[in-house]
Amino acid sequence: MALRALLTLVLGLSTFAGSLEAKVTVINDVLDRKVEVDLPAKRVILGFYAEDYMAIGTEKAFDNVVGLSRDTWEGWRPASWTLYTDYSPSLKEIPDVGEVEAQTFSIEKVLSLKPSVILLADWQYKGLGMDVDRLEEAGIPIVVIDYNAQTLDRHIKSTHIIGQLTGQEKRAKDIADDYKNTIESTLQRIEAANLPKPRTYVEFGNKGPEQYSFTYGKNMWGAMITMLGGDNIAAPFVEWWGPMNPEQVLASKPEVIFLAGTESGIKGDALPMGQGIDRKLAASRLKGFTKRPGWSQIPAVENNQVYGIYQGASRTILDASMAQYMAKSMYPSLFKDINPEQNYLNFYQKYLPVTPTGTFTVNITE
């Protein structure tokens, strides 16, 4: 009888343990949608924010990723993709489900992979339109996160959601707390100094000096400028993102200019920034933008306050260091003790399995 009782107890405990391994949980996503998901998630399709998913969920979380919008990583940040796939070749084996913005996202491919949850960026969810209904009618839960808005609230909430999905709530809390502390301490210095708002312009330097590319209004770099107390000169003219009239840029007389670049910028005369990019090349290309007609009279150019930043380090939980760099560039006297680029690399050392090398911030005087 004692043996039978022991076996019954063991079986009961095994059943209980199994119920703890996967349970239905209601996730309140960034759109305040209440989504029922079996957690921890076992078959995940990842639309965007791959590095965030790995940093928060650990690299083991990718064992449960059954589909990936690969162009948002390999296409947009090819050197970063190579860095990771050299370290973990199995990433190449994750099926590609296409990309929303390029209109290659395949609902049929997604359905064939039988996911237990789809994790999408806010802009992807909205871009899918009626296709969202097809996925939900198939019984596939969709959870929406958002680092693009560049708000403290959405960054923190998105981080906690990834922690829930991957069963890494404690790690997510640590990362979210670090981010919150960095942003808040940066803002406290700015507020305490009560300095004039620097007129600031930011542009994606992917088209080179000859053609003005996107600037940002309410989101991404534009939102970061506003958060840091700057006067974003694009805000009255560009709601989200888009080019600004060159004459208006000149008329606005920006005192600080940021040009963003990626590894793809190594082609032509665009601004190259990121993994594997030589600092001298980045500085040289950055100077090329100051040769634009009329730019020699812009205060930012006259005072050498023109800076290069890494586009891949925006819209991510890793961007606290970019906020620090922008703050240091906008208010040089307040952040002499801060090394933002080193802080960016420190995040990798602490939370990610690869070690990037290259140029992630650069000054025109370098």
Side-chain angles (χ1 to χ4, degrees):
M1 291 295 291
L3 179 59
R4 182 179 296 177
L6 180 59
L7 288 172
T8 301
L9 177 61
V10 170
L11 287 171
L13 289 173
S14 297
T15 301
F16 177 69
S19 68
L20 290 179
E21 287 177 6
K23 61 179 180 178
V24 176
T25 303
V26 176
I27 289 181
N28 188 27
D29 72 10
V30 297
L31 299 180
D32 288 326
R33 299 164 57 252
K34 297 191 185 318
V35 187
E36 289 188 352
V37 186
D38 285 334
L39 296 182
K42 295 299 184 186
R43 295 187 62 81
V44 182
I45 286 183
L46 191 57
F48 197 23
Y49 309 130
E51 270 194 302
D52 301 279
Y53 197 79
M54 189 179 292
I56 299 159
T58 76
E59 61 182 298
K60 188 166 179 56
F62 267 74
D63 292 345
N64 297 320
V65 175
V66 298
L68 182 68
S69 186
R70 197 154 138 174
D71 202 43
T72 61
W73 194 355
E74 181 184 22
W76 297 0
R77 300 173 61 206
S80 172
W81 171 257
T82 299
L83 179 67
Y84 277 93
T85 53
D86 283 349
Y87 167 78
S88 178
S90 62
L91 288 171
K92 295 179 181 179
E93 298 170 10
I94 300 174
D96 181 15
V97 297
E99 202 270 296
V100 174
E101 194 172 61
Q103 298 184 340
T104 58
F105 191 86
S106 172
I107 300 299
E108 289 71 23
K109 182 69 173 180
V110 169
L111 294 173
S112 73
L113 294 170
K114 297 179 170 41
S116 60
V117 63
I118 303 171
L119 188 64
L120 295 177
D122 181 20
W123 62 269
Q124 291 176 315
Y125 178 79
K126 292 172 179 173
L128 281 176
M130 299 292 288
D131 282 335
V132 167
D133 296 337
R134 291 181 60 192
L135 294 170
E136 291 180 335
E137 286 167 4
I140 304 171
I142 300 173
V143 175
V144 180
I145 60 176
D146 183 15
Y147 291 104
N148 283 58
Q150 293 293 164
T151 66
L152 184 57
D153 178 65
R154 284 207 168 185
H155 265 54
I156 298 303
K157 191 165 189 175
S158 297
T159 301
H160 284 299
I161 288 171
I162 293 175
Q164 284 182 280
L165 290 172
T166 59
Q168 291 287 343
E169 290 91 341
K170 172 63 168 61
R171 187 178 173 96
K173 183 181 185 302
D174 290 344
I175 292 174
D177 287 350
D178 284 349
Y179 185 88
K180 186 173 184 287
N181 291 338
T182 298
I183 296 300
E184 288 184 345
S185 63
T186 300
L187 297 182
Q188 284 166 5
R189 286 198 194 191
I190 294 170
E191 290 166 5
N194 196 29
L195 297 172
K197 291 178 178 287
R199 295 187 305 276
T200 307
Y201 175 67
V202 62
E203 181 185 331
F204 188 19
N206 64 322
K207 295 185 177 178
E210 296 300 317
Q211 184 178 353
Y212 280 63
S213 187
F214 290 153
T215 185
Y216 301 90
K218 293 180 181 178
N219 70 345
M220 287 183 58
W221 298 119
M224 291 178 78
I225 291 170
T226 301
M227 176 182 69
L228 295 168
D231 177 9
N232 178 14
I233 68 166
F237 311 103
V238 177
E239 184 175 11
W240 297 108
W241 62 85
M244 189 172 167
N245 187 304
E247 294 301 321
Q248 191 61 59
V249 174
L250 296 177
S252 299
K253 299 184 182 301
E255 298 165 294
V256 182
I257 291 175
F258 296 103
L259 289 150
T262 67
E263 296 90 347
S264 298
I266 202 163
K267 301 174 184 176
D269 57 358
L271 179 64
M273 296 289 295
Q275 170 64 23
I277 299 300
D278 178 75
R279 185 168 296 276
K280 289 182 180 178
L281 174 64
S284 174
R285 294 276 187 89
L286 183 64
K287 290 172 186 174
F289 283 82
T290 68
K291 309 302 181 185
R292 283 173 164 173
W295 273 44
S296 61
Q297 282 78 51
I298 290 178
V301 176
E302 291 177 330
N303 298 319
N304 289 324
Q305 285 194 271
V306 180
Y307 306 89
I309 46 180
Y310 180 37
Q311 183 82 348
S314 65
R315 61 198 175 196
T316 169
I317 198 63
L318 285 77
D319 63 40
S321 54
M322 291 299 112
Q324 287 181 318
Y325 184 73
M326 294 178 82
K328 185 171 184 173
S329 304
M330 293 161 68
Y331 312 96
S333 64
L334 301 184
F335 297 95
K336 292 180 180 179
D337 60 321
I338 303 294
N339 186 339
E341 190 166 46
Q342 185 58 53
N343 290 340
Y344 179 71
L345 298 175
N346 289 345
F347 185 97
Y348 279 86
Q349 185 177 24
K350 190 172 183 180
Y351 293 114
L352 286 162
V354 297
T355 304
T357 56
T359 306
F360 306 97
T361 65
V362 68
N363 186 289
I364 196 172
T365 59
E366 292 184 44

